[in-house]
Amino acid sequence: MSRQHLLLRELGLAPRWRLRDGVAPEPVLAPVAANLVPAATPAQPVVAAPAVVPVAEAVPAPAVVEPATTALPDWADLQQQVASCTACGLCQTRTQTVFGKGNPRARLMLVGEAPGAEEDKQGLPFVGKAGQLLDNMLAAIGLGQDDVFIANVLKCRPPGNRNPAADEVAACADYLRWQIAHVQPEVLVTLGRFAAHALLQSDAAIGALRRETHQYQGIPLFVTFHPAYLLRSPGEKAKAWQDLLAIRRALAKKA
């Protein structure tokens, strides 16, 4: 029995997804959707023209202050900013921030929702059971941790693993945007609905979003299920396998 067959069985896809002659059955990919609007760039402040007054009483025009989010910090500075962040209330309940893991120049970048209890303890994303399943999913298409970079929308764990709040997502938005700008992946994958909604600025159901190939600032973006959801709903693993094949095909086209 081949190693890939063992991995597929671990995913719950064998024998239904048994490979024939070493070739996986690939799904028909949905057509590429029109480019979605990328994360909005902060608006520049409007500078009012100075009033016309006598020279002795002339009032200087106010200085134009550039938004703090325009400059891309270097990788080390970005890590430090995340580690010391107090932009939302999660800083009061976290054990530590969770920046990300993997190859910072990877061809594939995966974006999840938020750290869980184990991630909060270790300071790394996807280290629990969901992380083990994600490792197996990547291995099934020939990828290891050195081939990917993994981050979350939120860098701190919400108490009780509750859903992220809108203000928390907004507070972390620049961190994720900067991470993507540094990694410059050839393909992006969102894991679960919160990551998909954050990057696509859409509230559509994940079932609808995963049937299309999207774009994020010119990068092909695929939507698939969060591994934690697949652990709760193993019947959806066949759909996740279709997503993995589409991701593998996109990477092959970029090679």
Side-chain angles (χ1 to χ4, degrees):
M1 183 178 296
S2 69
R3 178 172 178 273
Q4 190 174 33
H5 184 82
L6 291 173
L7 289 168
L8 292 174
R9 187 173 66 180
E10 175 66 20
L11 290 174
L13 300 175
R16 180 179 178 182
W17 290 96
R18 183 178 296 117
L19 306 181
R20 299 179 181 175
D21 300 325
V23 179
E26 301 202 6
V28 177
L29 296 180
V32 177
N35 289 357
L36 297 181
V37 179
T41 302
Q44 298 295 320
V46 177
V47 182
V52 178
V53 296
V55 175
E57 301 177 7
V59 179
V64 177
V65 179
E66 293 293 334
T69 57
T70 55
L72 175 65
D74 64 37
W75 192 249
D77 184 48
L78 179 54
Q79 289 177 303
Q80 181 56 42
Q81 286 190 40
V82 170
S84 60
C85 181
T86 58
C88 75
L90 294 181
C91 66
Q92 301 174 6
T93 58
R94 72 189 181 213
T95 300
Q96 58 188 315
T97 58
V98 179
F99 182 79
K101 70 176 181 180
N103 182 356
R105 301 299 296 173
R107 298 178 62 211
L108 176 65
M109 182 169 174
L110 302 148
V111 179
E113 175 183 317
E118 196 61 34
E119 288 79 9
D120 181 59
K121 292 178 183 177
Q122 298 190 33
L124 294 170
F126 289 93
V127 293
K129 291 183 179 179
Q132 294 171 9
L133 177 57
L134 179 59
D135 288 343
N136 288 337
M137 291 169 66
L138 293 172
I141 57 172
L143 299 176
Q145 290 192 9
D146 291 339
D147 301 307
V148 301
F149 184 79
I150 306 173
N152 282 312
V153 171
L154 296 191
K155 308 309 181 190
C156 300
R157 179 198 181 200
N161 291 348
R162 61 163 171 75
N163 292 335
D167 64 315
E168 295 162 354
V169 173
C172 276
D174 278 338
Y175 296 143
L176 179 59
R177 179 170 62 85
W178 286 334
Q179 285 178 314
I180 295 172
H182 270 291
V183 177
Q184 297 182 357
E186 295 177 5
V187 176
L188 269 168
V189 176
T190 59
L191 305 170
R193 65 186 177 97
F194 281 98
H197 292 173
L199 289 185
L200 296 177
Q201 298 295 294
S202 168
D203 60 359
I206 190 170
L209 292 173
R210 58 170 291 274
R211 289 196 291 266
E212 299 179 358
T213 303
H214 306 274
Q215 296 283 321
Y216 175 85
Q217 297 186 354
I219 304 171
L221 186 151
F222 293 84
V223 175
T224 191
F225 302 107
H226 195 287
Y229 171 77
L230 294 176
L231 290 173
R232 300 190 302 270
S233 307
E236 302 283 40
K237 287 182 177 180
K239 295 178 182 177
W241 174 238
Q242 294 173 0
D243 298 338
L244 289 171
L245 291 175
I247 292 164
R248 184 175 69 178
R249 174 179 290 183
L251 287 169
K253 288 181 179 179
K254 295 284 186 177

